[in-house]
PDB file of all heavy atoms in Angstrom:
ATOM      1  N   ALA J 132     -28.448   1.901 -15.598  1.00 97.00           N
ATOM      2  CA  ALA J 132     -27.017   1.690 -15.365  1.00 97.00           C
ATOM      3  C   ALA J 132     -26.377   2.983 -14.860  1.00 97.00           C
ATOM      4  O   ALA J 132     -27.008   4.045 -14.863  1.00 97.00           O
ATOM      5  CB  ALA J 132     -26.319   1.224 -16.636  1.00 97.00           C
ATOM      6  N   HIS J 133     -25.125   2.854 -14.436  1.00 98.00           N
ATOM      7  CA  HIS J 133     -24.391   4.028 -13.956  1.00 98.00           C
ATOM      8  C   HIS J 133     -24.114   5.027 -15.063  1.00 98.00           C
ATOM      9  O   HIS J 133     -23.800   6.182 -14.805  1.00 98.00           O
ATOM     10  CB  HIS J 133     -23.058   3.583 -13.354  1.00 98.00           C
ATOM     11  CG  HIS J 133     -22.085   3.087 -14.388  1.00 98.00           C
ATOM     12  ND1 HIS J 133     -22.263   1.917 -15.087  1.00 98.00           N
ATOM     13  CD2 HIS J 133     -20.935   3.629 -14.867  1.00 98.00           C
ATOM     14  CE1 HIS J 133     -21.263   1.752 -15.939  1.00 98.00           C
ATOM     15  NE2 HIS J 133     -20.442   2.774 -15.833  1.00 98.00           N
ATOM     16  N   LYS J 134     -24.200   4.596 -16.304  1.00 98.00           N
ATOM     17  CA  LYS J 134     -23.777   5.425 -17.433  1.00 98.00           C
ATOM     18  C   LYS J 134     -24.448   6.799 -17.436  1.00 98.00           C
ATOM     19  O   LYS J 134     -23.865   7.788 -17.867  1.00 98.00           O
ATOM     20  CB  LYS J 134     -24.086   4.708 -18.749  1.00 98.00           C
ATOM     21  CG  LYS J 134     -23.328   3.395 -18.944  1.00 98.00           C
ATOM     22  CD  LYS J 134     -21.889   3.633 -19.326  1.00 98.00           C
ATOM     23  CE  LYS J 134     -21.118   2.326 -19.518  1.00 98.00           C
ATOM     24  NZ  LYS J 134     -19.668   2.556 -19.696  1.00 98.00           N
ATOM     25  N   GLY J 158     -21.013   0.123 -26.429  1.00 90.00           N
ATOM     26  CA  GLY J 158     -20.735  -1.308 -26.544  1.00 90.00           C
ATOM     27  C   GLY J 158     -22.007  -2.064 -26.219  1.00 90.00           C
ATOM     28  O   GLY J 158     -22.722  -2.546 -27.098  1.00 90.00           O
ATOM     29  N   ALA J 159     -22.327  -2.111 -24.937  1.00 85.00           N
ATOM     30  CA  ALA J 159     -23.549  -2.794 -24.506  1.00 85.00           C
ATOM     31  C   ALA J 159     -24.794  -2.027 -24.927  1.00 85.00           C
ATOM     32  O   ALA J 159     -25.894  -2.555 -24.895  1.00 85.00           O
ATOM     33  CB  ALA J 159     -23.526  -2.959 -22.991  1.00 85.00           C
ATOM     34  N   GLY J 160     -24.623  -0.782 -25.273  1.00 93.00           N
ATOM     35  CA  GLY J 160     -25.770   0.033 -25.623  1.00 93.00           C
ATOM     36  C   GLY J 160     -26.254   0.871 -24.447  1.00 93.00           C
ATOM     37  O   GLY J 160     -27.082   1.759 -24.617  1.00 93.00           O
ATOM     38  N   GLN J 161     -25.738   0.607 -23.242  1.00 92.00           N
ATOM     39  CA  GLN J 161     -26.195   1.362 -22.076  1.00 92.00           C
ATOM     40  C   GLN J 161     -25.779   2.827 -22.175  1.00 92.00           C
ATOM     41  O   GLN J 161     -26.563   3.721 -21.874  1.00 92.00           O
ATOM     42  CB  GLN J 161     -25.640   0.761 -20.781  1.00 92.00           C
ATOM     43  CG  GLN J 161     -26.287  -0.528 -20.373  1.00 92.00           C
ATOM     44  CD  GLN J 161     -27.790  -0.409 -20.244  1.00 92.00           C
ATOM     45  OE1 GLN J 161     -28.528  -0.984 -21.032  1.00 92.00           O
ATOM     46  NE2 GLN J 161     -28.263   0.342 -19.271  1.00 92.00           N
ATOM     47  N   HIS J 162     -24.541   3.059 -22.591  1.00 95.00           N
ATOM     48  CA  HIS J 162     -24.103   4.438 -22.754  1.00 95.00           C
ATOM     49  C   HIS J 162     -24.847   5.104 -23.910  1.00 95.00           C
ATOM     50  O   HIS J 162     -25.199   6.283 -23.834  1.00 95.00           O
ATOM     51  CB  HIS J 162     -22.589   4.513 -22.961  1.00 95.00           C
ATOM     52  CG  HIS J 162     -22.110   5.900 -23.255  1.00 95.00           C
ATOM     53  ND1 HIS J 162     -22.288   6.951 -22.373  1.00 95.00           N
ATOM     54  CD2 HIS J 162     -21.514   6.439 -24.351  1.00 95.00           C
ATOM     55  CE1 HIS J 162     -21.797   8.055 -22.905  1.00 95.00           C
ATOM     56  NE2 HIS J 162     -21.330   7.781 -24.104  1.00 95.00           N
ATOM     57  N   GLY J 236     -18.137   7.547 -23.214  1.00 97.00           N
ATOM     58  CA  GLY J 236     -18.921   6.805 -22.230  1.00 97.00           C
ATOM     59  C   GLY J 236     -18.135   6.171 -21.120  1.00 97.00           C
ATOM     60  O   GLY J 236     -18.709   5.542 -20.227  1.00 97.00           O
ATOM     61  N   THR J 237     -16.825   6.305 -21.143  1.00 97.00           N
ATOM     62  CA  THR J 237     -16.055   5.696 -20.069  1.00 97.00           C
ATOM     63  C   THR J 237     -14.891   6.592 -19.700  1.00 97.00           C
ATOM     64  O   THR J 237     -14.649   7.606 -20.359  1.00 97.00           O
ATOM     65  CB  THR J 237     -15.599   4.282 -20.464  1.00 97.00           C
ATOM     66  OG1 THR J 237     -15.108   3.617 -19.305  1.00 97.00           O
ATOM     67  CG2 THR J 237     -14.529   4.315 -21.549  1.00 97.00           C
ATOM     68  N   ALA J 238     -14.188   6.216 -18.623  1.00 98.00           N
ATOM     69  CA  ALA J 238     -13.149   7.096 -18.098  1.00 98.00           C
ATOM     70  C   ALA J 238     -11.840   6.893 -18.861  1.00 98.00           C
ATOM     71  O   ALA J 238     -10.787   6.664 -18.285  1.00 98.00           O
ATOM     72  CB  ALA J 238     -12.959   6.833 -16.605  1.00 98.00           C
ATOM     73  N   CYS J 277     -16.690  -4.014 -11.779  1.00 98.00           N
ATOM     74  CA  CYS J 277     -16.203  -4.503 -13.066  1.00 98.00           C
ATOM     75  C   CYS J 277     -15.497  -3.366 -13.807  1.00 98.00           C
ATOM     76  O   CYS J 277     -15.767  -2.192 -13.570  1.00 98.00           O
ATOM     77  CB  CYS J 277     -17.342  -5.071 -13.906  1.00 98.00           C
ATOM     78  SG  CYS J 277     -18.554  -3.851 -14.473  1.00 98.00           S
ATOM     79  N   VAL J 278     -14.574  -3.747 -14.683  1.00 98.00           N
ATOM     80  CA  VAL J 278     -13.801  -2.761 -15.429  1.00 98.00           C
ATOM     81  C   VAL J 278     -13.873  -3.058 -16.924  1.00 98.00           C
ATOM     82  O   VAL J 278     -13.355  -4.078 -17.388  1.00 98.00           O
ATOM     83  CB  VAL J 278     -12.319  -2.765 -14.990  1.00 98.00           C
ATOM     84  CG1 VAL J 278     -11.517  -1.771 -15.822  1.00 98.00           C
ATOM     85  CG2 VAL J 278     -12.193  -2.435 -13.515  1.00 98.00           C
ATOM     86  N   GLY J 279     -14.558  -2.165 -17.640  1.00 97.00           N
ATOM     87  CA  GLY J 279     -14.497  -2.215 -19.095  1.00 97.00           C
ATOM     88  C   GLY J 279     -13.505  -1.128 -19.476  1.00 97.00           C
ATOM     89  O   GLY J 279     -12.297  -1.326 -19.526  1.00 97.00           O
ATOM     90  N   GLY J 280     -14.010   0.082 -19.688  1.00 97.00           N
ATOM     91  CA  GLY J 280     -13.126   1.242 -19.781  1.00 97.00           C
ATOM     92  C   GLY J 280     -12.802   1.764 -18.394  1.00 97.00           C
ATOM     93  O   GLY J 280     -11.816   2.459 -18.187  1.00 97.00           O
ATOM     94  N   GLY J 281     -13.652   1.445 -17.431  1.00 98.00           N
ATOM     95  CA  GLY J 281     -13.323   1.755 -16.043  1.00 98.00           C
ATOM     96  C   GLY J 281     -14.135   2.841 -15.372  1.00 98.00           C
ATOM     97  O   GLY J 281     -13.760   3.306 -14.296  1.00 98.00           O
ATOM     98  N   SER J 282     -15.280   3.244 -15.961  1.00 98.00           N
ATOM     99  CA  SER J 282     -15.972   4.405 -15.373  1.00 98.00           C
ATOM    100  C   SER J 282     -16.750   4.069 -14.103  1.00 98.00           C
ATOM    101  O   SER J 282     -16.732   4.842 -13.143  1.00 98.00           O
ATOM    102  CB  SER J 282     -16.884   5.079 -16.395  1.00 98.00           C
ATOM    103  OG  SER J 282     -17.996   4.279 -16.732  1.00 98.00           O
ATOM    104  N   ASN J 283     -17.420   2.919 -14.055  1.00 98.00           N
ATOM    105  CA  ASN J 283     -18.156   2.626 -12.822  1.00 98.00           C
ATOM    106  C   ASN J 283     -17.173   2.306 -11.708  1.00 98.00           C
ATOM    107  O   ASN J 283     -17.388   2.675 -10.548  1.00 98.00           O
ATOM    108  CB  ASN J 283     -19.217   1.533 -13.041  1.00 98.00           C
ATOM    109  CG  ASN J 283     -18.703   0.116 -12.877  1.00 98.00           C
ATOM    110  OD1 ASN J 283     -18.681  -0.413 -11.776  1.00 98.00           O
ATOM    111  ND2 ASN J 283     -18.252  -0.504 -13.963  1.00 98.00           N
ATOM    112  N   ALA J 284     -16.057   1.673 -12.063  1.00 99.00           N
ATOM    113  CA  ALA J 284     -15.059   1.324 -11.049  1.00 99.00           C
ATOM    114  C   ALA J 284     -14.386   2.577 -10.490  1.00 99.00           C
ATOM    115  O   ALA J 284     -14.286   2.742  -9.270  1.00 99.00           O
ATOM    116  CB  ALA J 284     -14.018   0.367 -11.639  1.00 99.00           C
ATOM    117  N   GLY J 350     -20.241  -4.667 -22.945  1.00 93.00           N
ATOM    118  CA  GLY J 350     -19.726  -3.465 -22.296  1.00 93.00           C
ATOM    119  C   GLY J 350     -18.319  -3.607 -21.747  1.00 93.00           C
ATOM    120  O   GLY J 350     -17.687  -2.613 -21.379  1.00 93.00           O
ATOM    121  N   LEU J 351     -17.832  -4.835 -21.654  1.00 95.00           N
ATOM    122  CA  LEU J 351     -16.459  -5.034 -21.179  1.00 95.00           C
ATOM    123  C   LEU J 351     -15.523  -5.400 -22.322  1.00 95.00           C
ATOM    124  O   LEU J 351     -14.320  -5.580 -22.112  1.00 95.00           O
ATOM    125  CB  LEU J 351     -16.415  -6.148 -20.118  1.00 95.00           C
ATOM    126  CG  LEU J 351     -17.285  -5.961 -18.868  1.00 95.00           C
ATOM    127  CD1 LEU J 351     -17.051  -7.105 -17.885  1.00 95.00           C
ATOM    128  CD2 LEU J 351     -17.015  -4.624 -18.190  1.00 95.00           C
ATOM    129  N   ALA J 395     -26.710  -6.753 -14.849  1.00 97.00           N
ATOM    130  CA  ALA J 395     -26.134  -6.739 -16.200  1.00 97.00           C
ATOM    131  C   ALA J 395     -24.991  -7.746 -16.237  1.00 97.00           C
ATOM    132  O   ALA J 395     -24.359  -8.021 -15.210  1.00 97.00           O
ATOM    133  CB  ALA J 395     -25.611  -5.345 -16.535  1.00 97.00           C
ATOM    134  N   GLU J 397     -22.141  -7.270 -17.410  1.00 97.00           N
ATOM    135  CA  GLU J 397     -20.933  -6.556 -16.996  1.00 97.00           C
ATOM    136  C   GLU J 397     -20.810  -6.636 -15.472  1.00 97.00           C
ATOM    137  O   GLU J 397     -19.804  -7.106 -14.928  1.00 97.00           O
ATOM    138  CB  GLU J 397     -21.002  -5.081 -17.435  1.00 97.00           C
ATOM    139  CG  GLU J 397     -20.879  -4.860 -18.944  1.00 97.00           C
ATOM    140  CD  GLU J 397     -22.172  -5.159 -19.695  1.00 97.00           C
ATOM    141  OE1 GLU J 397     -23.235  -5.267 -19.054  1.00 97.00           O
ATOM    142  OE2 GLU J 397     -22.116  -5.294 -20.935  1.00 97.00           O
ATOM    143  N   SER J 398     -21.864  -6.192 -14.794  1.00 98.00           N
ATOM    144  CA  SER J 398     -21.853  -6.169 -13.330  1.00 98.00           C
ATOM    145  C   SER J 398     -21.703  -7.581 -12.753  1.00 98.00           C
ATOM    146  O   SER J 398     -21.172  -7.747 -11.645  1.00 98.00           O
ATOM    147  CB  SER J 398     -23.154  -5.547 -12.819  1.00 98.00           C
ATOM    148  OG  SER J 398     -23.586  -4.501 -13.655  1.00 98.00           O
ATOM    149  N   SER J 423     -23.390  -2.173 -11.405  1.00 98.00           N
ATOM    150  CA  SER J 423     -23.379  -1.036 -12.332  1.00 98.00           C
ATOM    151  C   SER J 423     -24.609  -0.952 -13.219  1.00 98.00           C
ATOM    152  O   SER J 423     -24.940   0.120 -13.722  1.00 98.00           O
ATOM    153  CB  SER J 423     -22.116  -1.074 -13.178  1.00 98.00           C
ATOM    154  OG  SER J 423     -22.019  -2.310 -13.855  1.00 98.00           O
ATOM    155  N   GLY J 424     -25.291  -2.089 -13.427  1.00 98.00           N
ATOM    156  CA  GLY J 424     -26.466  -2.008 -14.300  1.00 98.00           C
ATOM    157  C   GLY J 424     -27.375  -3.208 -14.153  1.00 98.00           C
ATOM    158  O   GLY J 424     -26.995  -4.223 -13.568  1.00 98.00           O
ATOM    159  N   ARG J 425     -28.568  -3.081 -14.698  1.00 97.00           N
ATOM    160  CA  ARG J 425     -29.525  -4.183 -14.605  1.00 97.00           C
ATOM    161  C   ARG J 425     -29.450  -5.064 -15.855  1.00 97.00           C
ATOM    162  O   ARG J 425     -28.977  -4.643 -16.904  1.00 97.00           O
ATOM    163  CB  ARG J 425     -30.935  -3.646 -14.381  1.00 97.00           C
ATOM    164  CG  ARG J 425     -31.488  -2.891 -15.547  1.00 97.00           C
ATOM    165  CD  ARG J 425     -32.931  -2.457 -15.286  1.00 97.00           C
ATOM    166  NE  ARG J 425     -33.486  -1.883 -16.497  1.00 97.00           N
ATOM    167  CZ  ARG J 425     -34.136  -0.710 -16.553  1.00 97.00           C
ATOM    168  NH1 ARG J 425     -34.298   0.012 -15.465  1.00 97.00           N
ATOM    169  NH2 ARG J 425     -34.608  -0.281 -17.695  1.00 97.00           N
ATOM    170  N   LYS J 428     -31.279  -6.037 -20.528  1.00 91.00           N
ATOM    171  CA  LYS J 428     -30.705  -5.988 -21.869  1.00 91.00           C
ATOM    172  C   LYS J 428     -30.009  -7.288 -22.254  1.00 91.00           C
ATOM    173  O   LYS J 428     -29.728  -7.526 -23.430  1.00 91.00           O
ATOM    174  CB  LYS J 428     -29.708  -4.826 -21.965  1.00 91.00           C
ATOM    175  CG  LYS J 428     -28.452  -5.086 -21.136  1.00 91.00           C
ATOM    176  CD  LYS J 428     -27.437  -3.960 -21.192  1.00 91.00           C
ATOM    177  CE  LYS J 428     -26.255  -4.224 -20.281  1.00 91.00           C
ATOM    178  NZ  LYS J 428     -25.458  -5.403 -20.586  1.00 91.00           N
TER     179      LYS J 428
HETATM  180  C1  LIG M1906     -23.903  -1.981 -16.806  1.00 89.63           C
HETATM  181  C2  LIG M1906     -22.523  -1.704 -17.256  1.00 89.63           C
HETATM  182  N1  LIG M1906     -21.504  -1.867 -16.411  1.00 89.63           N
HETATM  183  C3  LIG M1906     -20.235  -1.640 -16.771  1.00 89.63           C
HETATM  184  C4  LIG M1906     -19.909  -1.252 -18.047  1.00 89.63           C
HETATM  185  C5  LIG M1906     -18.467  -1.067 -18.396  1.00 89.63           C
HETATM  186  O1  LIG M1906     -18.066   0.258 -18.514  1.00 89.63           O
HETATM  187  P1  LIG M1906     -17.165   0.953 -17.416  1.00 89.63           P
HETATM  188  O2  LIG M1906     -15.981   0.088 -17.176  1.00 89.63           O
HETATM  189  O3  LIG M1906     -16.816   2.261 -18.026  1.00 89.63           O
HETATM  190  O4  LIG M1906     -17.972   1.110 -16.199  1.00 89.63           O
HETATM  191  C6  LIG M1906     -20.938  -1.043 -18.982  1.00 89.63           C
HETATM  192  C7  LIG M1906     -20.632  -0.596 -20.343  1.00 89.63           C
HETATM  193  O5  LIG M1906     -21.377  -0.617 -21.245  1.00 89.63           O
HETATM  194  C8  LIG M1906     -22.273  -1.282 -18.565  1.00 89.63           C
HETATM  195  O6  LIG M1906     -23.291  -1.119 -19.423  1.00 89.63           O
END
Side-chain angles (χ1 to χ4, degrees):
Chain J
H133 70 291
K134 297 284 180 188
Q161 286 305 112
H162 175 60
T237 192
C277 67
V278 178
S282 69
N283 87 87
L351 302 184
E397 290 78 15
S398 324
S423 56
R425 67 177 187 229
K428 69 180 176 62

